[in-house]
Amino acid sequence: MPSTPASTSSSASSTDSGRRAELDAVRVLVVVGLVFFHSALVFGAHDDFYVKNAETTDVTLVVAAVGVLWAMPLLFFLAGLGAWHSLRRRSTGAFVAERLRRLGVPLLFGTLVLVPVPQWLRVRADPAHQESYLEFLPRFFQIDLEPGKFPFVLQGEFFETGHLWFLVLLLTFSLLLAPVTHGFRSPANRDRAARLRDRMAAFAERRRGATLLPAVPLAVWCALAGLEEEYGGWHRWAYLLFYLFGFVFATDDRFRAAARRDARLIVLAGLLFCLVGVPAMLLAGDAAFTGPAPLAMAGRSLFGAAGWCWLMAIIGLLDRVRPARPRTGGREPRRWYAYLSEAVLPLYILHQPIVVAVAYGVVRWDAPIAVKFTVVVVTSFALLVLAYDLLVRRTGVTRFLFGLRPAPRAARDQVDQG
């Protein structure tokens, strides 16, 4: 959706601005948090995770709830924001090709090579089933086609996309967005889109609290469609709303300014929705996720609204606290920032199989939960960083399989020498 004469200067500044380092840092923190999250599920009393400790605790429910509310929605929001900038630089066809390469290739590779591992370890946890990995693989790939579960149309007794459901949805949303935005490339539609964008941005600029409005469709959707535990606690199509909101948010700097202005109000609203919504969902019991009872629907509605508020609070507060420029010329921070920023997708793809594999051995120890949890987290982090650094980023083939761009030789040598 290229710029037009009808675009405001504010909009232009948004589209021409560089990457926001603090948002890339948030991506890294979310993936790091997922290691803690999935390690906690090993010891949780309310989750059917691949590997379970004999002794469980309810404390992990609190840890999980805090992350579920905002972490994955934030990743989809940032992906939508990135899609706007990507579509400005590319044709529709080039955007689709880039998404297939950056998301489709690692999704296919991860599903074939990495996702079967946690399922195999789940089966191996039963002493009656001690088949080897190669013996298990044919059972994993016994697949049925179920179009009604779109986009997760491939189903089976053991087959799953596992934690790569994020890539399935992100690729689906990108492919759905491409033809819609293609229709706005004609001059007439481009001008209409620019005028609509300008009106929305002007409204957000004038009205305090306007950034809370997207919480309404999210609240309605969560109440009516329910929540899905297997997709990070949110309904799969609720993530499409976050993705689209991110896409719109990127179109004009006035949305960013409004989020910065409303940050305190958004924090208060998010806390209020949580204080009322969490007890409502707990009281709803088993009906909380999908039940039609008024209390369950009210709890889900507040859950959806709170998720948006927490996300916007993070965006707005980060913008208020601008990171200081490094005093040493920035060479060292830039090098490690580039390293971590590029590592996000491979670390996401690798993290769950590694956590499950480590936990499979650790749960057999005779040790307190706190000790086991610490060992799982620390060991998983160490293996995750080693796997990325030694097995993924150093060759063109592995970079391609994990969705990375080819590394310029000079940049690669600079990181290697660091």
Side-chain angles (χ1 to χ4, degrees):
M1 201 181 298
S3 59
T4 70
S7 301
T8 65
S9 59
S10 180
S11 177
S13 66
S14 174
T15 56
D16 294 337
S17 60
R19 293 177 67 91
R20 293 177 59 186
E22 69 274 20
L23 296 185
D24 283 325
V26 168
R27 288 186 181 95
V28 174
L29 290 175
V30 169
V31 173
V32 168
L34 287 173
V35 175
F36 286 92
F37 176 79
H38 286 120
S39 298
L41 294 184
V42 174
F43 308 94
H46 303 281
D47 186 271
D48 180 27
F49 199 56
Y50 301 97
V51 175
K52 299 295 289 187
N53 194 53
E55 181 186 0
T56 58
T57 175
D58 288 328
V59 173
T60 58
L61 181 64
V62 178
V63 176
V66 172
V68 159
L69 197 60
W70 62 270
M72 296 310 295
L74 181 60
L75 288 184
F76 280 102
F77 180 88
L78 295 179
L81 189 151
W84 161 261
H85 294 289
S86 181
L87 278 164
R88 287 185 62 84
R89 297 191 303 269
R90 297 176 175 88
S91 67
T92 303
F95 172 78
V96 170
E98 190 261 354
R99 294 292 86 187
L100 289 172
R101 182 179 67 81
R102 298 288 306 281
L103 298 175
V105 171
L107 172 60
L108 180 61
F109 173 76
T111 303
L112 293 176
V113 177
L114 299 174
V115 172
V117 173
Q119 282 287 57
W120 173 60
L121 293 176
R122 185 203 294 271
V123 172
R124 291 273 298 186
D126 183 352
H129 298 279
Q130 295 300 304
E131 60 190 334
S132 70
Y133 184 63
L134 292 179
E135 290 172 332
F136 170 74
L137 276 179
R139 291 211 289 157
F140 179 84
F141 288 111
Q142 291 176 357
I143 300 171
D144 296 319
L145 187 64
E146 298 189 27
K149 295 186 177 181
F150 182 83
F152 303 97
V153 295
L154 301 181
Q155 299 287 326
E157 181 183 0
F158 296 101
F159 179 84
E160 64 173 10
T161 54
H163 65 297
L164 300 186
W165 62 262
F166 170 67
L167 297 187
V168 175
L169 289 179
L170 192 53
L171 181 59
T172 299
F173 298 162
S174 299
L175 297 181
L176 291 174
L177 178 68
V180 174
T181 56
H182 182 73
F184 287 103
R185 291 186 184 270
S186 68
N189 288 335
R190 197 165 59 222
D191 288 342
R192 292 192 191 99
R195 288 193 293 270
L196 176 61
R197 188 170 69 230
D198 183 60
R199 286 197 293 270
M200 290 191 298
F203 178 82
E205 184 179 40
R206 292 193 306 268
R207 303 289 185 180
R208 176 170 291 276
T211 49
L212 289 171
L213 290 178
V216 176
L218 279 165
V220 172
W221 184 260
C222 290
L224 298 179
L227 306 174
E228 296 180 299
E229 185 177 355
E230 61 267 39
Y231 304 123
W234 289 81
H235 192 279
R236 69 193 78 176
W237 294 109
Y239 290 123
L240 177 59
L241 293 176
F242 287 110
Y243 182 81
L244 294 176
F245 291 152
F247 185 84
V248 173
F249 188 88
T251 63
D252 198 297
D253 269 346
R254 285 174 288 181
F255 294 122
R256 178 177 169 181
R260 187 167 57 244
R261 176 199 65 206
D262 292 344
R264 292 177 181 174
L265 174 62
I266 295 169
V267 169
L268 291 175
L271 290 174
L272 177 62
F273 293 150
C274 282
L275 288 174
V276 179
V278 170
M281 292 192 71
L282 291 175
L283 289 173
D286 294 339
F289 270 56
T290 56
L295 184 62
M297 294 182 68
R300 292 197 300 270
S301 175
L302 292 169
F303 173 89
W308 174 254
C309 289
W310 281 51
L311 187 158
M312 270 292 99
I314 292 169
I315 298 295
L317 291 174
L318 280 176
D319 217 12
R320 284 187 167 206
V321 183
R322 296 180 181 274
R325 292 183 179 275
R327 296 180 180 178
T328 58
R331 184 177 180 181
E332 197 72 16
R334 280 205 304 269
R335 186 169 61 199
W336 283 105
Y337 160 73
Y339 179 90
L340 292 174
S341 203
E342 182 181 57
V344 169
L345 181 57
L347 292 179
Y348 179 86
I349 294 168
L350 289 166
H351 86 275
Q352 183 161 283
I354 288 177
V355 168
V356 173
V358 172
Y360 180 78
V362 171
V363 294
R364 288 163 171 72
W365 297 0
D366 183 15
I369 287 179
V371 172
K372 292 182 179 180
F373 175 75
T374 302
V375 171
V376 172
V377 169
V378 172
T379 305
S380 296
F381 269 125
L383 292 176
L384 187 57
V385 172
L386 286 173
Y388 168 70
D389 195 80
L390 299 178
L391 302 178
V392 175
R393 76 176 186 89
R394 294 178 182 266
T395 73
V397 172
T398 51
R399 292 180 70 88
F400 174 75
L401 292 175
F402 280 85
L404 299 180
R405 296 184 177 90
R409 183 174 181 81
R412 182 172 65 248
D413 292 343
Q414 183 186 40
V415 175
D416 288 342
Q417 293 167 7

